[in-house]
Amino acid sequence: MPNIKSAKKRVLVSEKKALQNKMVKSALKTAIKKYEAALTSGNKEEASKLYLEAVKKIDQAVAKGVLHKNTAARKKSRFTIMLNAIA
């Protein structure tokens, strides 16, 4: 445990930030799983609606610094290709 006041504060702040990042990641994973489930069921309307939600969550994760922008671009590109494949 830290003894210095500023170090104690950093521990608290980093725990709080870790929880926030975990929340963003969890929401992102949930959106992705729902989208992939809609793809496997073959429901194009549902998949296209969930695609928009997944892309939105990816963009939010990038804005919060949870995902790298290139990772987000790769994921969005793959999701778009999968959506177009079930045409």
Side-chain angles (χ1 to χ4, degrees):
M1 280 302 294
N3 295 324
I4 298 168
K5 185 178 181 181
S6 61
K8 289 178 184 177
K9 183 177 180 183
R10 288 306 311 161
V11 168
L12 295 176
V13 169
S14 64
E15 286 174 354
K16 187 176 179 181
K17 288 290 186 184
L19 284 175
Q20 290 172 345
N21 289 341
K22 189 175 182 181
M23 197 171 70
V24 171
K25 281 187 213 173
S26 178
L28 173 64
K29 287 178 185 179
T30 302
I32 289 172
K33 285 179 186 176
K34 285 181 180 179
Y35 172 64
E36 289 175 343
L39 282 176
T40 55
S41 70
N43 189 351
K44 175 121 178 163
E45 292 176 11
E46 185 73 18
S48 61
K49 188 174 75 171
L50 291 171
Y51 167 79
L52 295 175
E53 181 69 26
V55 167
K56 181 180 177 182
K57 292 291 183 188
I58 290 171
D59 290 336
Q60 287 174 343
V62 170
K64 293 183 186 297
V66 175
L67 279 182
H68 191 272
K69 64 178 185 172
N70 291 352
T71 304
R74 183 180 67 242
K75 284 182 181 291
K76 291 192 289 188
S77 175
R78 287 178 180 172
F79 289 167
T80 305
I81 289 169
M82 287 189 285
L83 182 65
N84 291 338
I86 63 170

